[in-house]
Amino acid sequence: MAVKDVLARVRLHAKTVPYPLGVKLVGSTAKDTYVFPPDLDVFILFPPDVPRSELEKHGLALGRKVLGGEERYAEHPYIHGKFKGFEVDIVPCYSVDDPSNLKSAVDRTPFHTDYILSHLKQSQRDEVRLLKQFMKGIGTYSAEAKVQGFSGYLVELLVLRYGDFEGALRSAKDWREGLVLTLTEGGSRRFASPLTFYDPVDRERNVASALSLQNMAIFIRASRECLNHPDSRFFFPEPRRDWSRAHIAREMRARGTKLIVVRLPRPDLTEDNLYPQARRTLEGMQSTLESASFVVLDRSFSITRKTIDLVMELQAERLPAAMKHMGPPVTNEHSGQFVDKWIDAALVPPFIENGRWVAIVRRSHRTAKELLSNEMQKAALGKEMKGLKGMRVFSHAQLLKSGPRGSITELLDKTAPWER
Amino acid sequence: MAVKDVLARVRLHAKTVPYPLGVKLVGSTAKDTYVFPPDLDVFILFPPDVPRSELEKHGLALGRKVLGGEERYAEHPYIHGKFKGFEVDIVPCYSVDDPSNLKSAVDRTPFHTDYILSHLKQSQRDEVRLLKQFMKGIGTYSAEAKVQGFSGYLVELLVLRYGDFEGALRSAKDWREGLVLTLTEGGSRRFASPLTFYDPVDRERNVASALSLQNMAIFIRASRECLNHPDSRFFFPEPRRDWSRAHIAREMRARGTKLIVVRLPRPDLTEDNLYPQARRTLEGMQSTLESASFVVLDRSFSITRKTIDLVMELQAERLPAAMKHMGPPVTNEHSGQFVDKWIDAALVPPFIENGRWVAIVRRSHRTAKELLSNEMQKAALGKEMKGLKGMRVFSHAQLLKSGPRGSITELLDKTAPWER
């Protein structure tokens, strides 16, 4: 079997390293709670007194010998590759005696594996698989930045906490934001997260820290609806189909609102770096629009192989000539500069409103497209997107004619996966 | 002279009252700091052990015998009338031994008069008159609800604090919001007001409590500009002239924005009650518009003899068919009702956004006029205006053709009084 083979190979090569190493299968394959396709996670445990540089050097070399593969980076670097058709990670870590003495975050993983192996009953393994597949189906599975959902370990803890799949759903349907869960006893730290689940192997850690309120709410909703109308579509939804141009045009005519898309070339980043930066850039686009009084009704982003599409729905894409330009408080000692600047240039020269200087000025960009093309670089953007190199902005009319149907459907189609 | 005559008459009638009364001229006439036309304020001081009902009965009867006049109400009732061409108030109050033992707010006034008489130098009286006339000219004189400006007593204290008119302006040009002023020493209470001036006769009181940030800022601005370019127009500005219909139309064409007016019949209230209610109703109008995603650029109200005009400038007066309708958090136990209500009725049935239910619904009122005509009564409004009886709403087109030019000019003309 692939698992045995890969472990045997790692152990063989481990003997050539001048430290006493442990080799341990961890993760869902070790716990027998994986959903298809399983990933193999092999950890190489170094004694805690080995310098970090030595751990990285020997750990990566060992991984490369077994997998070839590529170097990736969590907190330590590790090697990712393929072995007999399976995705495999070979991860060097420290073998610590207690999870309160971690030398890095990955050192905790073997403890998680041991905890689940010793607490999860045989019969509960399939319950974990059910709940994982449910989470996958509704789109809330994975703690990665791309998803911001439930990690595999969190799913296992939920089954331990509620006994089985159905128990977890019956509880989730009544969850409130700010819920705090424990298996044994909680820690003393309080988290601002929408859900806190104190890690039984490290009580000052929240296993649900990556979970967004949005995904928590989707899980609550799906739990309610699945309990009322169980259906395999919660586990295996139909893929979303892109709307046709005619469908998009019909929808926009009914709404009377306007679309705008900013398209950026996709920077060469891992998904864990890319998604947060795309979200920040989306925020920057929205703040650029709103600070010029455009009303943003909805927004989303889509990442394709080559591009990032930032999509917004606006109340109007063209605004009147005049806009209010807020200046400093009259009490500000430099406020005279605002007055001097606008005294002749404004449509209505500076006057006082609630203690602040205000002028009514001619809008420099009447349309959202012009505004974004010229002003977006002033907003807070993702680090690798600050230059906005290669940015293109598409107006409503352009989008109806030849816009990216996938990205537009992503915004307009509010159907849940299980409703398709 | 009118002052001597009115005091003699009050003293004569006071002898018929079965309590030992004091009669005292107070206010700017007593302090010789009035600006034309002077008001005469005559206080009748009752012993503190007289019941309030007796004070009111005898005090008002005495005032009526002297003035005829009408009953008005501050904290006590008092009599207002005319005497030899002057406006006169005859006000019953308690003669307390110390301002820390007030039985009502008006009891403090005689102490203010005494304080100014004993501290303001002869030569400073004209400085007070100058500053009062300046405040009048720039529109910031009076602590009444209508103005929210500087009281006469506050102007006197400013002259005491800064020596003379010019000293006050030289200081004011650098004032900051939150400034705290004292003559001797301040009290322990902290006020949220933009300006605090601890009352030298009652240190836990802020003499500037009625002053709005807006009027403080206008005074700061006018001080700067008058010091740079002294001009009689700061003291005696030209009246504002209503813009012609052609001027209004030209201005609105240049701005591209839209006007809307809500006109209400003027309720029969004193100005001190009417102005706060008109402001609250203006807020209600704005919140009605903004909660339906109309963008309000500017607003004002004008009170005429018969009407209250609430005037707003909008980015657009007509919005697209679709609007976002925010529902409860998904975690709310009654959130199912929102879903049931909108599942068939919405343009886009309920979906989750950042943990909350949201639907895209058909706007029930596409124009600001329709919206205000139908929904304004749901907002928080002035107490006597809640019924919105007799309300009329005027659209942009109607206003250009036949709207109230005075109220519209009030909104559009941002010229300061001294710039006219």
Side-chain angles (χ1 to χ4, degrees):
Chain A
M1 260 200 37
V3 174
K4 282 193 178 157
D5 287 357
V6 78
L7 286 173
R9 290 222 198 169
V10 173
R11 287 202 178 97
L12 193 68
H13 288 290
K15 289 187 181 139
T16 67
V17 176
Y19 300 107
L21 302 187
V23 174
K24 188 179 172 76
L25 182 72
V26 299
S28 62
T29 320
K31 296 178 273 188
D32 194 21
T33 58
Y34 60 85
V35 287
F36 197 81
D39 296 335
L40 308 188
D41 296 313
V42 180
F43 273 44
I44 305 166
L45 290 81
F46 285 72
D49 55 350
V50 172
R52 187 163 168 138
S53 58
E54 284 286 289
L55 172 145
E56 294 186 5
K57 188 180 86 179
H58 292 292
L60 294 177
L62 202 162
R64 269 203 208 85
K65 279 182 198 149
V66 177
L67 295 179
E70 56 168 355
E71 190 175 322
R72 289 192 181 173
Y73 207 90
E75 193 170 340
H76 295 323
Y78 65 95
I79 297 294
H80 177 85
K82 286 243 183 189
F83 187 87
K84 296 194 174 171
F86 292 95
E87 306 274 333
V88 183
D89 288 337
I90 294 183
V91 181
C93 73
Y94 285 105
S95 169
V96 296
D97 55 350
D98 187 289
S100 59
N101 294 326
L102 300 186
K103 299 193 72 173
S104 85
V106 291
D107 304 346
R108 202 185 280 113
T109 304
F111 292 95
H112 289 165
T113 301
D114 291 347
Y115 188 88
I116 296 300
L117 279 170
S118 63
H119 287 80
L120 194 75
K121 290 180 209 143
Q122 178 90 28
S123 63
Q124 288 176 311
R125 292 181 187 167
D126 279 349
E127 302 295 328
V128 168
R129 284 185 226 268
L130 265 177
L131 188 52
K132 282 185 179 175
Q133 189 61 46
F134 182 81
M135 294 280 192
K136 267 197 173 180
I138 67 173
T140 62
Y141 185 53
S142 164
E144 287 165 16
K146 175 177 178 175
V147 179
Q148 302 182 308
F150 295 77
S151 67
Y153 180 52
L154 179 54
V155 170
E156 289 158 353
L157 293 182
L158 288 174
V159 168
L160 283 178
R161 178 73 174 69
Y162 296 115
D164 57 14
F165 169 74
E166 192 181 328
L169 266 56
R170 290 209 178 281
S171 164
K173 74 179 172 41
D174 299 321
W175 279 0
R176 301 272 173 272
E177 188 181 348
L179 179 69
V180 175
L181 297 176
T182 59
L183 276 183
T184 47
E185 52 182 315
S188 54
R189 252 182 93 186
R190 292 293 168 267
F191 297 91
S193 322
L195 174 67
T196 297
F197 201 133
Y198 285 107
D199 190 345
V201 312
D202 181 356
R203 286 189 182 134
E204 299 306 324
R205 177 176 173 262
N206 176 16
V207 183
S209 62
L211 178 66
S212 66
L213 177 62
Q214 177 72 359
N215 279 326
M216 181 178 176
I218 289 174
F219 178 56
I220 293 169
R221 174 187 174 187
S223 294
R224 289 177 189 157
E225 298 188 9
C226 183
L227 288 167
N228 284 338
H229 305 285
D231 195 303
S232 67
R233 288 189 303 175
F234 288 97
F235 303 87
F236 302 101
E238 296 290 319
R240 163 174 288 140
R241 295 233 186 81
D242 293 350
W243 288 4
S244 67
R245 291 207 189 285
H247 187 170
I248 293 169
R250 206 181 321 123
E251 180 72 22
M252 295 318 297
R253 229 173 9 248
R255 296 193 191 184
T257 54
K258 302 294 175 182
L259 293 172
I260 183 125
V261 169
V262 167
R263 167 166 284 189
L264 291 165
R266 176 178 177 155
D268 185 21
L269 294 172
T270 63
E271 287 193 338
D272 272 349
N273 285 320
L274 181 60
Y275 277 82
Q277 292 200 26
R279 287 191 190 103
R280 202 167 315 126
T281 307
L282 190 74
E283 299 277 0
M285 174 176 170
Q286 181 166 358
S287 67
T288 300
L289 288 164
E290 289 179 344
S291 65
S293 299
F294 286 89
V295 178
V296 176
L297 296 175
D298 202 1
R299 60 176 205 181
S300 71
F301 68 95
S302 300
I303 297 186
T304 66
R305 219 161 45 82
K306 299 228 160 181
T307 66
I308 301 173
D309 285 344
L310 310 172
V311 190
M312 295 205 180
E313 183 181 7
L314 304 176
Q315 192 161 275
E317 62 176 348
R318 188 182 178 80
L319 295 183
M323 68 177 278
K324 204 172 194 170
H325 183 49
M326 302 301 291
V330 173
T331 54
N332 182 307
E333 58 183 320
H334 302 297
S335 73
Q337 293 167 10
F338 178 86
V339 178
D340 292 344
K341 177 173 174 193
W342 290 108
I343 192 126
D344 293 320
L347 279 170
V348 179
F351 55 93
I352 303 174
E353 188 179 286
N354 202 23
R356 289 181 74 148
W357 285 110
V358 176
I360 295 176
V361 304
R362 203 175 294 281
R363 189 178 281 283
S364 29
H365 307 291
R366 292 284 296 271
T367 66
K369 178 174 172 174
E370 283 175 72
L371 177 75
L372 292 170
S373 304
N374 291 287
E375 301 287 337
M376 200 169 136
Q377 68 278 7
K378 293 180 192 160
L381 304 173
K383 196 176 151 213
E384 311 286 332
M385 299 176 196
K386 279 209 176 105
L388 295 174
K389 267 209 192 112
M391 174 176 81
R392 294 185 59 193
V393 187
F394 300 90
S395 70
H396 184 75
Q398 291 172 316
L399 292 167
L400 288 193
K401 207 192 280 177
S402 58
R405 291 191 295 123
S407 301
I408 294 171
T409 304
E410 180 72 30
L411 182 88
L412 297 181
D413 181 4
K414 299 301 185 185
T415 325
W418 60 92
E419 294 177 321
R420 284 174 202 140
Chain B
M1 263 206 31
V3 174
K4 280 193 179 157
D5 287 358
V6 76
L7 285 172
R9 289 224 199 168
V10 174
R11 287 202 179 97
L12 191 70
H13 287 290
K15 289 186 182 136
T16 67
V17 176
Y19 301 108
L21 302 186
V23 174
K24 189 177 169 80
L25 182 72
V26 300
S28 61
T29 320
K31 296 178 273 189
D32 194 21
T33 58
Y34 60 86
V35 287
F36 196 81
D39 296 334
L40 308 189
D41 296 312
V42 180
F43 274 43
I44 305 165
L45 289 82
F46 284 73
D49 55 349
V50 172
R52 185 162 170 140
S53 58
E54 285 286 289
L55 173 145
E56 294 187 3
K57 189 180 84 179
H58 291 293
L60 295 177
L62 202 161
R64 270 203 208 86
K65 276 181 203 153
V66 176
L67 295 178
E70 56 168 354
E71 190 174 322
R72 289 190 181 173
Y73 207 92
E75 192 170 340
H76 297 321
Y78 63 95
I79 296 295
H80 176 85
K82 286 244 183 189
F83 187 88
K84 297 193 175 171
F86 293 96
E87 305 273 334
V88 184
D89 288 337
I90 295 182
V91 182
C93 74
Y94 285 106
S95 170
V96 294
D97 55 351
D98 188 288
S100 60
N101 294 327
L102 300 187
K103 298 194 74 174
S104 86
V106 291
D107 304 345
R108 202 185 282 114
T109 304
F111 292 95
H112 289 164
T113 301
D114 290 346
Y115 188 89
I116 296 299
L117 279 172
S118 62
H119 287 79
L120 194 76
K121 292 178 208 146
Q122 177 92 26
S123 64
Q124 288 176 311
R125 291 182 189 167
D126 278 347
E127 302 295 327
V128 168
R129 285 185 226 268
L130 264 177
L131 188 52
K132 282 186 180 175
Q133 189 61 46
F134 183 80
M135 294 281 191
K136 268 198 172 179
I138 66 174
T140 62
Y141 186 51
S142 164
E144 287 165 16
K146 175 177 176 174
V147 179
Q148 303 181 309
F150 294 77
S151 66
Y153 180 52
L154 179 55
V155 170
E156 288 156 354
L157 293 182
L158 288 174
V159 169
L160 283 178
R161 177 73 173 71
Y162 296 113
D164 57 15
F165 168 74
E166 192 181 327
L169 265 56
R170 288 209 179 280
S171 164
K173 74 179 173 40
D174 299 322
W175 279 1
R176 301 274 173 271
E177 188 182 348
L179 179 70
V180 176
L181 297 176
T182 57
L183 276 183
T184 49
E185 53 182 312
S188 54
R189 253 182 92 184
R190 292 292 168 270
F191 298 90
S193 322
L195 174 67
T196 296
F197 202 133
Y198 286 107
D199 190 344
V201 311
D202 180 357
R203 287 189 183 134
E204 299 306 323
R205 178 175 172 265
N206 177 16
V207 182
S209 61
L211 179 65
S212 66
L213 177 60
Q214 177 70 0
N215 279 326
M216 181 176 175
I218 289 174
F219 177 56
I220 293 169
R221 173 188 175 188
S223 294
R224 290 177 188 155
E225 300 188 9
C226 181
L227 288 167
N228 284 337
H229 304 285
D231 196 303
S232 67
R233 287 188 304 174
F234 288 97
F235 303 87
F236 302 100
E238 296 289 318
R240 163 173 287 142
R241 294 234 186 80
D242 293 350
W243 288 4
S244 68
R245 292 209 186 284
H247 187 170
I248 293 171
R250 204 183 322 121
E251 180 72 21
M252 295 317 298
R253 229 176 6 251
R255 297 193 190 183
T257 53
K258 303 294 175 180
L259 293 172
I260 183 125
V261 169
V262 166
R263 167 166 284 188
L264 291 164
R266 176 178 177 154
D268 184 20
L269 293 171
T270 65
E271 287 192 338
D272 272 349
N273 286 318
L274 181 61
Y275 277 81
Q277 292 199 26
R279 287 191 191 103
R280 201 167 316 128
T281 307
L282 191 74
E283 298 276 0
M285 174 176 170
Q286 182 166 356
S287 67
T288 300
L289 288 164
E290 289 180 343
S291 65
S293 299
F294 286 89
V295 177
V296 176
L297 297 175
D298 203 2
R299 61 177 204 180
S300 71
F301 68 95
S302 299
I303 296 187
T304 65
R305 217 161 46 82
K306 298 227 160 182
T307 67
I308 301 173
D309 285 343
L310 310 172
V311 189
M312 293 203 181
E313 183 181 7
L314 303 176
Q315 191 160 276
E317 62 176 346
R318 187 181 178 80
L319 295 183
M323 69 177 276
K324 204 171 195 171
H325 183 50
M326 303 301 291
V330 172
T331 54
N332 182 307
E333 57 183 321
H334 303 296
S335 73
Q337 293 167 11
F338 179 85
V339 178
D340 293 344
K341 177 173 175 192
W342 290 107
I343 191 124
D344 293 320
L347 279 169
V348 179
F351 55 95
I352 302 175
E353 189 179 286
N354 201 23
R356 289 182 75 148
W357 286 112
V358 176
I360 295 176
V361 304
R362 203 175 293 282
R363 191 177 280 282
S364 29
H365 307 292
R366 292 285 295 271
T367 65
K369 178 175 172 173
E370 283 175 72
L371 177 75
L372 292 170
S373 304
N374 290 287
E375 302 286 337
M376 199 170 138
Q377 68 277 7
K378 293 180 191 161
L381 305 173
K383 198 175 152 214
E384 311 286 333
M385 299 175 198
K386 279 208 175 105
L388 296 173
K389 266 207 195 113
M391 175 176 81
R392 294 184 60 190
V393 186
F394 299 90
S395 70
H396 184 75
Q398 290 172 316
L399 291 167
L400 288 193
K401 206 193 280 177
S402 58
R405 292 191 294 126
S407 302
I408 294 171
T409 304
E410 179 71 30
L411 182 88
L412 297 180
D413 181 4
K414 299 301 185 186
T415 325
W418 60 91
E419 295 177 320
R420 284 176 202 139

